[in-house]
Amino acid sequence: MNAPHTHLPRHLLTLDGLPNDALNALLVRAQAFAEGHYDRRALDGIAVCTLFFEPSTRTRMSFTLAAQRLGADVLNFDASTSSTRKGETALDTLKNLEAMGVRGFVVRHQDDGAVAALSQHVDDGTVLVNAGDGRSAHPTQGLLDMLTLRQAKGHDFARLKVAIVGDVKHSRVARSDLQALRTLGAGEIRVCGPASLLPQDGTLHGCTVTDDLDAAIDGADAVMMLRLQRERMEEGLVASLDDYHRDYGLTATRLKRAASDAVVMHPGPINRGVEITDEVADGPQSLILRQVTNGVAVRMAVLEALLKG
Ligand code: CP
């Protein structure tokens, strides 16, 4: 099966501005991969490195599997055991790996804009994928969330009411999801969280914004819960985890307010008992592990499009 022309930029740094046809082409390709239609030699002879300066389980492992399934040579860079510990910069690290012949870099970094900044210094023929930078963007999470939503609810996003709940302010996932949902024409996007965890920078334009969780999920077709990102949070933004759970935790009782066939999503890792209960996370409406499964297929589509397209 040949890859469709996807009109992708050279690097995948964000979903902001990615045209509808490119986004859809990636989802179509990812669906084919999810169904097992792929060429195990598609990236034969191409070296791909996961260059992570922040921890990860899902993104890093699924990019590794994705690259391996397409036949790439895969290197996993671990900042904690690398010369980063001796003070080597991210750019020097990347340039040294590039000098070894690595052509694809999947980069996660704690700083907003770090991956875009690195992309200014790479050789022709080298491509970068943003695997999450600060609070800014996590484009492949946005794509896998859209694939999961599409599998569950069909292609007509105009029919959908989607609620995004929790720590939106610190969430690169929320930003990428919002961009993708707008591009795909979601009918209504509701955003809910305490005022202290909602961004005031225009991120939420066009959304219905509320601090009332019951109102946010009332009749919703999909409830996308976000992780409370304590590592990025200043002190005092939430009173206590118990208070947060009481006001913004998704429980089975609360979920009854959503549409009867509503689906529940979460990018992981989950703070069980904080933003979501075990009963909901592991319940019949949860697509959380389906999201993880789809992550491999989406990342295969992205690597193929950038490295072979
Ligand atoms: N959803 C996500 O990015 O998970 P990881 O931090 O484990 O990669």
Side-chain angles (χ1 to χ4, degrees), residues 10-24:
R10 176 176 158 196
H11 309 289
L12 183 63
L13 302 175
T14 175
L15 297 182
D16 194 17
L18 189 71
N20 187 296
D21 65 341
L23 204 157
N24 266 300

Side-chain angles (χ1 to χ4, degrees), residues 55-60 108 138 141 267-269:
S56 168
T57 298
R58 281 147 289 272
T59 310
R60 183 174 191 151
R108 172 169 287 190
H138 194 348
Q141 181 75 42

Side-chain angles (χ1 to χ4, degrees), residues 91-295:
L91 179 57
D92 280 338
T93 305
L94 185 150
K95 294 304 290 182
N96 277 267
L97 290 161
E98 199 178 42
M100 295 176 203
V102 175
R103 275 193 53 208
F105 288 92
V106 178
V107 187
R108 172 169 287 190
H109 200 281
Q110 59 277 13
D111 294 341
D112 296 331
V115 188
L118 289 171
S119 74
Q120 301 297 313
H121 301 281
V122 297
D123 296 342
D124 292 347
T126 297
V127 304
L128 266 59
V129 183
N130 183 358
D133 63 324
R135 309 173 182 192
S136 294
H138 194 348
T140 57
Q141 181 75 42
L143 290 169
L144 75 88
D145 287 347
M146 295 309 112
L147 181 65
T148 306
L149 205 45
R150 204 153 107 150
Q151 288 170 348
K153 293 289 169 190
H155 289 212
D156 184 6
F157 276 40
R159 294 172 41 248
L160 297 183
K161 298 185 190 77
V162 180
I164 298 180
V165 179
D167 182 3
V168 184
K169 182 175 180 172
H170 301 101
S171 177
R172 54 198 177 205
V173 174
R175 285 175 178 76
S176 288
D177 280 343
L178 284 166
Q179 288 156 0
L181 286 166
R182 286 190 192 108
T183 301
L184 295 175
E188 185 181 352
I189 307 174
R190 302 171 183 171
V191 174
C192 175
S196 59
L197 295 182
L198 295 177
Q200 306 293 333
D201 57 3
T203 298
L204 305 182
H205 71 86
C207 301
T208 305
V209 182
T210 177
D211 62 2
D212 179 345
L213 178 55
D214 289 339
I217 63 179
D218 191 33
D221 301 293
V223 184
M224 305 175 89
M225 301 303 294
L226 299 172
R227 181 171 70 88
L228 196 59
Q229 302 211 11
R230 284 175 278 178
E231 76 276 21
R232 295 188 215 286
M233 203 175 280
E234 304 146 29
E235 287 298 314
L237 287 182
V238 293
S240 73
L241 295 184
D242 286 344
D243 288 349
Y244 185 83
H245 180 69
R246 183 195 62 221
D247 295 337
Y248 298 102
L250 188 60
T251 62
T253 304
R254 273 210 163 111
L255 184 56
K256 290 195 176 90
R257 290 180 170 269
S260 57
D261 60 351
V263 294
V264 175
M265 299 168 67
H266 190 303
I270 299 171
N271 294 307
R272 289 177 177 266
V274 180
E275 64 259 3
I276 191 167
T277 61
D278 290 345
E279 191 181 6
V280 176
D282 305 328
Q285 289 168 272
S286 171
L287 296 182
I288 294 171
L289 291 178
R290 175 87 69 84
Q291 290 171 265
V292 178
T293 303
N294 283 334

